[in-house]
Amino acid sequence: MYQWRKFEFFEEKSGGKSSISAEITGTIQCCSSGRGRIAVGCGDGTVSLIDRGFKLLYGFQAHAASVLFLQQLKQRNYLVTVGEEEQTSPQLSSICLKVFDLDKMEPEGSSMTSPVCLQILRIFTNQFPESKIASFLVLEEAPPILLIAIGLENGSIYCIKGDIARERISRFTLQVEVSSDNSLSSINGLGFRVEGRALQLFAVTPTSVSLFNLHDQPPKRQTLDQIGCDTKAVIMSDRLDLILGRPEAVYFYEVDGRGPCWAFEGEKKFLGWFRGYLLCVIADQRSNKNTFNVYDLKNRLIAHSMVLGEVSHMLCEWGYIIFIMNDKKILCIGEKDMESKLDMLFKKNLYTVAINLVQSQQADAAATAEVLRKYGDHLYGKLDYDEAMSQYIHTIGHLEPSYVIQKFLDAQRIYNLTNYLEKLHERGLASKDHTTLLLNCYTKLKDVEKLNKFIKGDDSVGDHKFDVETAIRVCRTAGYHEHAMYVAKKAERHEWYLKILLEDLGRYQEALEYISSLEPNQAGVTVKEYGKILVEHRPVETINILMRLCTENEESRKRRVSNGVHMSLLPSPVDFINIFVHSPQSLMDFLEKYTAKVKDSPAQAEIHNTLLELYLSSTLTFPSISQENGGDDCDKSVRSTKYLANGSSAESKGKSTVDIKDVKKDKDRLERFKKGLALLKSAWTSEMEYPLYDVDLAVILCEMNAFKDGLLFLYEKMKLYKEVIACYMQVHDHEGLIACCRKLGDSTQGGDPSLWGDLLKYFGELGEDCSKEVREVLTYIERDDILPPIIVLQTLAKNPCLTLSVVKDYIARKLEEESKLIEDDRKAIEKYQDETALMKKEIQDLRTNARIFQLSKCTACTFTLDLPAVHFMCMHSFHLRCLGDNEKECPECAPEIRSVLETKRNLEQNAKDHELFFQQVKNSKDGFSVIAEYFGKGILSKTAIKPPEVLQSGDS
């Protein structure tokens, strides 16, 4: 033990000036610490309580003669004492046990200040013979239960258990082996061991160490050792081990026997346990002095050592070690703070000791890491890089990694740096930069084995011990493509996996197979990102993948039918159009396959629009996408044109090649135009109200690419008949014009007859001989009476190439027809004039002449007319009884009059309905006749005959 290092980790706090208060005059027999104070029992029977400043709080007379033992309880503010009382009877023992409640004081009327004594017990009775008490120990079980063990010199242990304050107790005796010499069987030390529900009691005699299991009935005794302890140097450690101090060594005992032994020579007068330290007061027989040592058993060092005088008692309270000397002086020793202890060790470069110290005293991790860092810096300064790194590794999680990394980058110790970075990743504390640095270390060292272990280690990616994206990027940059692909695949970073396959390795077929193995949603995302490259190099396979993504397979179709309800989650082909920016032919093939398989796509209109754009494009380009991408295709076409123009070295061969290409190009364009027309018609059949494409876009495409057939179809479907014939007029297709007007100008089939008028106007302004066509047009105009003859003549008069013979027969027929109409109108006028004259004469007759009623029979009942009778101006007569309640209207003429009045009322309402008027004018062949009819019926007359009342009021 002399090889143990000595340190001064403790220091004297009181400076040797403290002492027991002079008010305590008796000899100190026993002491007990706890609850922030010290209790002192004296030979005069008093107990004194001392505070932290070693001042007397108060004292009281606990026993009449002397206090032998005392102990403060921890769970309750109780004090248990054993002392001598006055001998009242020879049969009764003077030794008593008392329990004081230190929270309750005697009433003020009492002679002295003292706590309430809850109970007084006689220790020795007839069943428990009296013997000298050698040791005393109290165990607090569940309050208010106490277990008191009293060790005697005769080798017996008296135990008192129960609620002592209420004297609900039980007594029993534990017997150690009886020796022939009572002095050899004295119970010099006791110790309770409570572990879970197990309750055990250590008992120490000079010749044995025993253990009693108190849960057994009766308690079983187990002998742990055949050698005991002569003095009272017996304590319990915080780990519930019994510690004995013998002259040759200090022994530890556990429940199964003797444990470790520490050979500290000298008589052990006092033993203690303080914060994991072993306290020993050792008497040196040669110098007659006492040495106090504080042992750190774990780190094998002496934390403090000093020479003492004669010690009376040793206690631990308030975080200090307290010695009460024989002369009542008090020595208080406290532990230095951790920083001071570490500074002491650092000055001596005892870093290993410092590390062990902080670990044994359970210092926080940050403090431990700081010690390790300093030790690492010390080793680094000595150029011991390997050992320094081993210390830095233990600081991971507390020390900033850049501190260590910078040191070893400067020292160019790549092996040590690699080791540190590996540990950093193992603990999941590495950042992206750390991953980058570690992988760079592996690649510079060309250590493929470690790289494989790091990248392909078991579940390394799954546990995210490194940043996946960084690892992929570094491996890719260093040329370790297989490693980068492994990480990407295991981490399901499909975009990186494909980027390496396509951009670095050019393994297009493998990339397609990988995409096919992905989930549909993920496959769709990857195709959108890398589809341009795939379409460029593997168009057919890429289209097949897109078809699988965008269409239902047989299994999903069966599932939809079985479930009955289906929500379409398939991607739309429109989402993938941008990947075909440089491959319009492939796009056309893809969309054609899709439309052939899927007839009810939600994006059908967009698909048809795209197909029309491709079909009708003159050079099979995709203008909308090309413009979005900066016109790359346009630039390519311009460059290719310039290249052909400059190829003068092989002019003849170039011309033939260009001719072949032009013929093939024209043929391809015609084929696409046919497909475009078929698409226009199939997507807008006669049963459809609206087409499955954008009509305006289709019209623009047809006009831009001079697609006449498409324009004619669209104009006809949109009922833009005038635009249809305008197409024929532009190319002077006279036969087509007339045929078109026959089809579209028939009003019985929903056509527009005014087209013949436009056609006549066209021929009138043509400026060439078109007599044949004009005669045919006039036939339809005459048949449907589309234009007045005067308009026909004025229109045809503009063409100088037409003669009168063209319209001679038409005019003759029209004049004859007009003459007939005039004659019919004249006859109708005469008829209306005669009828009007008769009406006026009748009105005048009614106003001026008397009416004679000569009817002899009732018009209603045909019986002879008798009074009372009613005669109407219409020459009808009725019995008054036959008229009933209606005496103002003729029953015979009333219906006709009501009809006339209703007609008049309708005409007046029609005069206010302007929309109806203009609609009739528009729909009539002869609008003037409608206006004349309105005037004839007086509907449009601004004047109206005012009623007589209005005239009278106006005259007045």
Side-chain angles (χ1 to χ4, degrees):
M1 295 304 166
Y2 294 106
Q3 288 78 19
W4 283 23
R5 293 177 180 270
K6 292 185 178 181
F7 300 96
E8 293 300 322
F9 289 164
F10 288 77
E11 60 185 352
E12 188 176 346
K13 298 294 184 181
S14 61
K17 298 179 180 180
S18 299
S19 61
I20 296 295
S21 174
E23 299 178 25
I24 303 174
T25 58
T27 303
I28 299 176
Q29 298 287 340
C30 53
C31 296
S32 176
S33 61
R35 303 185 72 90
R37 62 191 167 216
I38 295 175
V40 177
C42 298
D44 58 2
T46 61
V47 173
S48 301
L49 299 177
I50 301 174
D51 64 6
R52 185 166 186 168
F54 303 108
K55 303 296 182 182
L56 177 64
L57 291 172
Y58 63 89
F60 62 94
Q61 191 71 35
H63 296 273
S66 66
V67 180
L68 302 177
F69 299 94
L70 60 80
Q71 182 174 335
Q72 295 188 75
L73 304 185
K74 295 181 180 180
Q75 299 184 39
R76 291 174 293 173
N77 196 14
Y78 284 6
L79 177 67
V80 181
T81 64
V82 174
E84 293 186 19
E85 301 293 336
E86 293 181 356
Q87 188 77 31
T88 59
S89 172
Q91 290 79 18
L92 296 176
S93 172
S94 62
I95 307 299
C96 293
L97 182 144
K98 292 185 179 181
V99 179
F100 296 93
D101 187 350
L102 300 182
D103 288 332
K104 298 179 181 179
M105 307 301 290
E106 293 290 348
E108 295 181 359
S110 60
S111 59
M112 62 179 293
T113 302
S114 64
V116 174
C117 180
L118 299 177
Q119 188 58 259
I120 301 176
L121 290 177
R122 295 285 179 181
I123 295 177
F124 302 110
T125 63
N126 294 332
Q127 296 178 354
F128 299 93
E130 183 175 356
S131 178
K132 186 177 180 180
I133 299 176
S135 57
F136 173 77
L137 188 61
V138 180
L139 171 67
E140 296 179 80
E141 294 190 20
I145 305 301
L146 297 179
L147 176 57
I148 301 175
I150 302 172
L152 307 177
E153 283 190 350
N154 61 9
S156 298
I157 302 173
Y158 286 175
C159 295
I160 304 173
K161 183 176 182 180
D163 187 355
I164 297 178
R166 298 182 181 181
E167 204 171 351
R168 298 175 180 176
I169 60 175
S170 62
R171 299 170 182 252
F172 59 92
T173 303
L174 302 176
Q175 185 66 47
V176 183
E177 292 183 2
V178 180
S179 175
S180 58
D181 186 357
N182 287 339
S183 63
L184 297 178
S185 61
S186 173
I187 308 298
N188 294 328
L190 296 171
F192 282 111
R193 179 186 178 95
V194 181
E195 189 172 10
R197 294 185 177 182
L199 177 57
Q200 296 166 316
L201 176 64
F202 287 101
V204 180
T205 69
T207 59
S208 67
V209 177
S210 302
L211 178 67
F212 292 91
N213 192 343
L214 299 182
H215 274 295
D216 295 336
Q217 295 298 329
K220 293 181 179 181
R221 176 180 173 274
Q222 177 185 355
T223 302
L224 301 181
D225 201 351
Q226 298 295 333
I227 302 175
C229 178
D230 293 330
T231 64
K232 296 182 180 180
V234 179
I235 59 166
M236 294 291 293
S237 72
D238 55 3
R239 297 180 182 177
L240 303 180
D241 294 333
L242 180 70
I243 306 176
L244 300 185
R246 297 174 186 162
E248 73 279 6
V250 174
Y251 296 89
F252 282 70
Y253 289 90
E254 300 176 358
V255 293
D256 54 353
R258 183 190 296 180
C261 169
W262 303 93
F264 304 140
E265 294 184 357
E267 181 185 354
K268 314 303 185 298
K269 299 186 68 175
F270 293 95
L271 287 184
W273 191 264
F274 176 77
R275 295 180 178 176
Y277 293 104
L278 175 64
L279 311 179
C280 288
V281 176
I282 303 174
D284 190 346
Q285 301 295 335
R286 291 171 293 182
S287 61
N288 294 323
K289 293 183 179 179
N290 296 325
T291 303
F292 171 61
N293 290 333
V294 180
Y295 296 102
D296 186 345
L297 302 179
K298 185 174 183 179
N299 297 314
R300 296 177 179 270
L301 58 86
I302 300 175
H304 184 67
S305 182
M306 64 182 296
V307 177
L308 295 175
E310 292 297 326
V311 178
S312 174
H313 296 85
M314 183 175 68
L315 304 168
C316 295
E317 185 65 23
W318 306 303
Y320 299 139
I321 303 169
I322 301 169
F323 293 100
I324 300 178
M325 315 303 289
N326 286 346
D327 57 359
K328 294 188 177 180
K329 295 287 185 180
I330 294 178
L331 180 62
C332 185
I333 298 175
E335 186 178 10
K336 294 180 180 180
D337 60 82
M338 181 62 73
E339 185 177 356
S340 300
K341 291 189 286 185
L342 293 177
D343 288 342
M344 186 186 308
L345 295 172
F346 292 154
K347 289 178 182 178
K348 297 180 181 181
N349 292 330
L350 299 175
Y351 293 98
T352 305
V353 178
I355 293 170
N356 294 332
L357 180 65
V358 295
Q359 291 177 347
S360 63
Q361 297 196 359
Q362 298 180 351
D364 60 347
T368 304
E370 180 63 18
V371 176
L372 292 169
R373 180 194 67 79
K374 290 185 177 181
Y375 187 30
D377 292 346
H378 173 71
L379 295 171
Y380 183 87
K382 295 172 64 177
L383 304 182
D384 189 354
Y385 297 113
D386 294 336
E387 189 61 29
M389 177 53 73
S390 66
Q391 302 305 320
Y392 287 132
I393 287 174
H394 289 100
T395 66
I396 292 176
H398 303 282
L399 180 63
E400 176 61 36
S402 59
Y403 178 87
V404 180
I405 293 172
Q406 184 63 44
K407 281 180 173 291
F408 285 86
L409 281 175
D410 294 341
Q412 298 182 356
R413 300 286 296 182
I414 190 170
Y415 293 99
N416 297 120
L417 181 59
T418 303
N419 185 23
Y420 181 79
L421 293 171
E422 287 174 346
K423 299 297 182 183
L424 204 62
H425 282 81
E426 286 178 5
R427 301 186 187 182
L429 299 175
S431 66
K432 296 181 180 179
D433 295 332
H434 299 149
T435 302
T436 303
L437 186 56
L438 177 59
L439 292 174
N440 282 326
C441 289
Y442 285 151
T443 54
K444 285 187 177 181
L445 293 172
K446 298 186 184 303
D447 194 340
V448 180
E449 182 179 354
K450 280 194 173 183
L451 184 61
N452 288 335
K453 184 178 179 181
F454 181 77
I455 294 297
K456 301 180 180 181
D458 294 339
D459 299 328
S460 59
V461 178
D463 293 341
H464 298 290
K465 292 183 179 178
F466 57 81
D467 183 74
V468 173
E469 186 171 339
T470 302
I472 296 172
R473 188 183 68 253
V474 174
C475 291
R476 184 186 179 199
T477 304
Y480 291 88
H481 296 108
E482 294 298 330
H483 293 81
M485 289 168 59
Y486 177 85
V487 175
K489 187 174 184 179
K490 195 166 186 179
E492 296 184 355
R493 297 294 182 88
H494 311 299
E495 66 280 3
W496 279 101
Y497 189 87
L498 292 171
K499 186 187 290 289
I500 298 169
L501 275 179
L502 297 174
E503 297 180 4
D504 298 340
L505 305 177
R507 287 147 59 173
Y508 307 107
Q509 188 61 39
E510 186 177 345
L512 288 167
E513 293 173 358
Y514 182 76
I515 292 174
S516 301
S517 65
L518 298 177
E519 291 292 330
N521 292 337
Q522 190 61 48
V525 173
T526 53
V527 170
K528 288 179 184 177
E529 186 169 358
Y530 302 103
K532 293 180 183 178
I533 301 176
L534 294 173
V535 168
E536 182 179 356
H537 295 88
R538 295 290 189 276
V540 177
E541 293 84 349
T542 306
I543 291 174
N544 292 335
I545 289 179
L546 290 177
M547 286 296 295
R548 287 198 297 271
L549 291 175
C550 298
T551 58
E552 292 180 308
N553 54 28
E554 293 299 326
E555 182 180 353
S556 61
R557 186 178 293 109
K558 291 177 182 178
R559 190 182 304 114
R560 181 186 68 174
V561 173
S562 62
N563 292 342
V565 178
H566 173 70
M567 295 181 63
S568 178
L569 299 177
L570 297 174
S572 171
V574 179
D575 300 336
F576 302 99
I577 287 180
N578 63 326
I579 71 175
F580 294 95
V581 62
H582 302 305
S583 305
Q585 181 65 48
S586 299
L587 174 61
M588 187 170 68
D589 296 340
F590 168 53
L591 295 180
E592 285 177 348
K593 287 184 177 181
Y594 181 82
T595 53
K597 187 173 183 179
V598 180
K599 303 297 183 181
D600 54 351
S601 172
Q604 201 163 13
E606 291 85 349
I607 296 172
H608 287 163
N609 291 339
T610 306
L611 278 174
L612 285 175
E613 191 171 356
L614 292 169
Y615 286 153
L616 304 183
S617 173
S618 59
T619 57
L620 191 56
T621 57
F622 201 1
S624 60
I625 295 184
S626 298
Q627 292 172 5
E628 291 176 4
N629 290 273
D632 294 341
D633 292 339
C634 296
D635 294 341
K636 287 182 180 180
S637 62
V638 171
R639 288 196 296 268
S640 62
T641 304
K642 289 181 178 180
Y643 176 76
L644 292 173
N646 294 329
S648 58
S649 60
E651 183 176 356
S652 59
K653 184 177 180 179
K655 285 184 178 180
S656 61
T657 304
V658 170
D659 292 340
I660 294 173
K661 288 184 177 179
D662 290 342
V663 171
K664 184 178 180 181
K665 183 177 179 181
D666 292 341
K667 183 178 180 181
D668 178 66
R669 185 181 182 188
L670 290 176
E671 289 294 329
R672 286 189 285 107
F673 275 14
K674 290 180 180 178
K675 291 181 180 179
L677 182 60
L679 176 59
L680 290 173
K681 292 180 178 180
S682 62
W684 197 357
T685 61
S686 57
E687 293 82 7
M688 297 180 182
E689 184 178 358
Y690 300 103
L692 297 177
Y693 50 80
D694 188 341
V695 177
D696 296 333
L697 175 63
V699 170
I700 293 172
L701 291 174
C702 291
E703 289 182 348
M704 288 175 58
N705 297 282
F707 186 34
K708 176 184 173 184
D709 294 339
L711 274 177
L712 293 175
F713 172 77
L714 292 172
Y715 286 151
E716 183 178 343
K717 293 294 289 185
M718 297 167 66
K719 298 188 182 303
L720 300 177
Y721 301 137
K722 295 186 183 297
E723 281 75 5
V724 175
I725 64 173
C727 293
Y728 288 101
M729 291 177 181
Q730 289 177 358
V731 296
H732 299 287
D733 185 358
H734 296 171
E735 292 183 2
L737 265 175
I738 295 175
C740 181
C741 286
R742 287 198 199 101
K743 178 180 178 183
L744 304 179
D746 190 355
S747 59
T748 59
Q749 302 295 327
D752 185 6
S754 64
L755 295 178
W756 292 108
D758 295 337
L759 187 56
L760 186 68
K761 182 179 179 182
Y762 166 74
F763 286 128
E765 296 175 352
L766 188 59
E768 62 183 42
D769 188 8
C770 51
S771 302
K772 179 181 178 182
E773 290 82 357
V774 170
R775 288 190 181 93
E776 187 171 356
V777 171
L778 289 176
T779 301
Y780 290 99
I781 291 177
E782 182 182 2
R783 185 191 69 182
D784 296 331
D785 197 13
I786 296 171
L787 294 175
I790 186 64
I791 300 298
V792 172
L793 291 176
Q794 289 175 351
T795 301
L796 295 177
K798 297 177 182 180
N799 190 344
C801 299
L802 296 177
T803 60
L804 185 60
S805 61
V806 176
V807 297
K808 177 180 177 181
D809 295 338
Y810 167 75
I811 294 300
R813 289 192 298 274
K814 278 295 181 181
L815 289 175
E816 183 180 354
E817 183 179 344
E818 292 292 335
S819 298
K820 184 178 180 182
L821 290 174
I822 291 172
E823 181 63 24
D824 292 341
D825 290 341
R826 186 184 61 78
K827 291 179 180 180
I829 291 171
E830 291 178 355
K831 178 183 176 182
Y832 290 144
Q833 287 177 346
D834 293 343
E835 291 178 355
T836 303
L838 289 174
M839 289 181 184
K840 288 180 178 181
K841 182 179 179 181
E842 184 178 358
I843 293 171
Q844 183 64 27
D845 188 30
L846 290 173
R847 288 179 176 177
T848 58
N849 298 327
R851 247 329 171 180
I852 301 173
F853 302 98
Q854 296 179 348
L855 289 178
S856 59
K857 292 183 179 181
C858 175
T859 306
C861 63
T862 68
F863 289 103
T864 303
L865 191 66
D866 54 3
L867 297 178
V870 179
H871 304 278
F872 291 97
M873 300 298 291
C874 59
M875 300 308 294
H876 293 135
S877 300
F878 300 89
H879 292 117
L880 181 61
R881 63 178 179 273
C882 293
L883 290 177
D885 296 335
N886 189 3
E887 300 178 357
K888 296 182 179 181
E889 289 183 341
C890 173
E892 293 292 330
C893 301
E896 183 179 355
I897 293 174
R898 290 195 189 97
S899 177
V900 172
L901 292 176
E902 183 68 24
T903 302
K904 181 181 179 183
R905 190 160 44 250
N906 291 338
L907 292 175
E908 291 175 352
Q909 290 179 355
N910 290 340
K912 299 177 182 179
D913 191 352
H914 305 296
E915 292 184 3
L916 177 62
F917 169 72
F918 288 110
Q919 188 66 29
Q920 290 179 353
V921 173
K922 182 178 179 180
N923 295 336
S924 175
K925 294 181 180 180
D926 187 3
F928 181 77
S929 61
V930 176
I931 297 174
E933 182 180 0
Y934 267 71
F935 274 105
K937 294 178 179 179
I939 297 176
L940 299 180
S941 177
K942 291 184 179 181
T943 60
I945 300 175
K946 297 181 180 180
E949 304 86 33
V950 178
L951 292 174
Q952 291 175 3
S953 62
D955 295 340
S956 62

